[in-house]
Each structure stands twice: as structure tokens, then as C-alpha cells.
């Protein structure tokens, strides 16, 4: 509120950038003090806790399956594997909210301490595995795009043909299925559509 009343636009940008730094560190401190101090480090590595955490991580696979709902080329039932795993890995991360819910459940006596330890271990594992898997999937997708680009360049050199690329910038109201509909329309013109969303 202070920034909207007293500061010029350049001062506002500076204010927000500095407040963002402070906010980031305050969130880290808050998270460390509210959740991290309650993590039962001694109890994390018992066989029962690790087994139940592994069982909870099976739900992670269920979230990866949501990649089925990714955009797919026309007349194809499922999306390409890179699209499937990009969406699936992006959806599979569990957030800090799970820590807060588990912490509250422990405080209210709804959850036992060994169950809390299993939940914490599963959430930490998903917080480590999901970003790594997403980064790996994006790297594989980028290498696939680079390979296709290289093949196109080599075919141009070999055959002497020239490829034309069309970039379309559309300004419209967003709706469900808009991109899929546009890809279907492009396919009607017998144009190759290198859409990899």
C-alpha cells in the first residue's frame, strides 16, 4: 500500500525487487521454524516408515498418468512420450502444503508419529524426484527438437529444397481445446505442424 501512494514507477520496481528478496528469506525461515523442526529425523529410517512412505509414493505414479490428458496430434489417441512425461512429472510434485496438513494432523492427534514420518519422507522424496524427472524430460524433449532441426537442415543441404516456416500469433479469448482445434485445422491444409507443446 505504501508503494502505491508514495513511490514513482521506477521506485516501485526497486521496492518490489527488494521486498521479494526479504520475502523469500522470511518464507525460508518460517518454513524451517514451523515444519522442519518437527521432522522426526531419528524415526525416518525405520523399516515401517520407509515401507509406508514407499506405499505413499505409489500415488506419485497416479499423478504421472495425468500426462495422458496432454495434447496429442490429430488421429492419435495418446500424446507423444515427451509431452506425456512433461505433464505427468510437472503434476507429480507434492508441495509444502502437505507438510502443513501433516503437521496439523500430528498436533491434533489425527496422525501417529510414525505415519507423520512416512508422510514427511514421501513428500521430501517427491520434492526431490519430481523436479529432477521434469528436468530430464525437458532435456530429452529439447534433444529431440534439436535432432529434428538438424535433420531438416541436412535435408535442405542434400536436396536443395527450401523449407518455409509460418509463425502464427493469435489474439483471442482462450477456451478449452483451442490449440487442439488449431492443430486440426492446420492438418486439413496438408501442412506439417511441428507443434510440440
Amino acid at each position: 500500500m505504501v508503494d502505491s501512494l508514495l513511490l514513482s514507477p521506477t521506485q516501485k520496481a526497486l521496492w518490489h525487487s527488494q521486498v521479494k528478496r526479504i520475502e523469500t528469506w522470511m518464507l525460508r525461515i518460517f518454513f524451517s521454524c514451523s515444519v522442519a523442526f518437527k521432522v522426526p529425523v531419528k524415526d525416518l529410517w525405520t523399516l515401517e516408515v520407509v515401507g509406508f512412505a514407499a506405499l505413499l509414493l505409489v500415488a506419485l505414479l497416479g499423478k504421472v498418468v495425468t500426462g495422458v490428458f496432454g495434447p496429442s496430434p490429430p488421429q492419435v489417441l495418446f500424446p507423444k512420450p515427451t509431452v506425456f512425461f512433461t505433464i505427468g512429472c510437472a503434476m507429480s510434485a507434492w508441495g509444502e502444503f502437505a507438510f502443513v496438513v501433516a503437521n496439523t494432523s500430528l498436533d491434533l492427534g489425527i496422525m501417529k508419529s510414525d505415519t507423520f514420518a512416512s508422510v514427511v519422507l514421501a513428500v521430501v522424496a517427491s520434492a526431490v524426484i519430481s523436479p529432477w524427472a521434469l528436468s530430464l524430460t525437458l532435456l530429452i524433449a529439447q534433444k529431440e527438437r534439436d535432432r529434428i532441426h538438424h535433420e531438416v537442415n541436412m535435408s535442405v543441404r542434400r536436396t536443395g529444397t527450401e523449407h518455409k516456416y509460418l509463425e502464427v500469433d493469435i489474439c483471442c479469448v482462450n477456451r478449452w481445446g483451442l490449440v487442439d482445434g488449431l492443430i486440426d485445422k492446420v492438418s486439413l491444409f496438408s501442412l506439417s505442424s511441428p507443434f510440440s507443446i
Side-chain angles (χ1 to χ4, degrees):
M1 183 154 178
V2 171
D3 62 342
S4 62
L5 297 175
L6 303 174
L7 303 176
S8 69
T10 55
Q11 290 171 331
K12 283 183 190 179
L14 183 62
W15 171 264
H16 284 290
S17 68
Q18 296 304 320
V19 168
K20 190 69 172 171
R21 289 181 184 177
I22 295 168
E23 178 187 13
T24 303
W25 278 103
M26 292 304 290
L27 284 173
R28 289 176 185 166
I29 292 170
F30 171 76
F31 180 74
S32 297
C33 294
S34 63
V35 176
F37 287 156
K38 285 198 173 186
V39 172
V41 179
K42 290 185 225 173
D43 300 335
L44 282 181
W45 308 113
T46 64
L47 188 60
E48 183 180 321
V49 168
V50 171
F52 191 59
L55 187 63
L56 289 173
L57 282 174
V58 171
L60 193 70
L61 297 176
K63 286 185 150 191
V64 171
V65 173
T66 60
V68 169
F69 300 110
S72 59
Q75 291 82 33
V76 177
L77 186 59
F78 296 109
K80 295 189 310 185
T82 53
V83 174
F84 174 86
F85 284 111
T86 299
I87 292 172
C89 292
M91 294 296 292
S92 66
W94 296 345
E96 292 83 10
F97 187 67
F99 283 122
V100 174
V101 170
N103 202 1
T104 304
S105 299
L106 182 67
D107 289 342
L108 294 175
I110 299 171
M111 185 182 290
K112 294 188 292 184
S113 63
D114 57 342
T115 307
F116 175 73
S118 296
V119 169
V120 166
L121 187 59
V123 170
V124 167
S126 85
V128 171
I129 292 169
S130 297
W132 176 81
L134 181 60
S135 296
L136 182 65
T137 303
L138 292 174
L139 180 67
I140 291 169
Q142 181 62 44
K143 285 185 178 182
E144 178 68 16
R145 284 192 296 272
D146 291 345
R147 184 188 62 77
I148 291 170
H149 183 69
H150 178 71
E151 286 178 4
V152 167
N153 284 339
M154 293 309 290
S155 71
V156 168
R157 289 181 185 169
R158 278 193 304 268
T159 61
T161 59
E162 188 177 336
H163 294 271
K164 300 290 182 184
Y165 297 95
L166 176 65
E167 182 177 323
V168 179
D169 187 15
I170 300 170
C171 183
C172 63
V173 177
N174 195 8
R175 63 177 170 79
W176 185 259
L178 178 67
V179 173
D180 293 331
L182 290 173
I183 293 172
D184 289 341
K185 294 297 181 192
V186 167
S187 66
L188 293 176
F189 295 111
S190 299
L191 299 172
S192 62
S193 57
F195 291 108
S196 59
I197 299 170

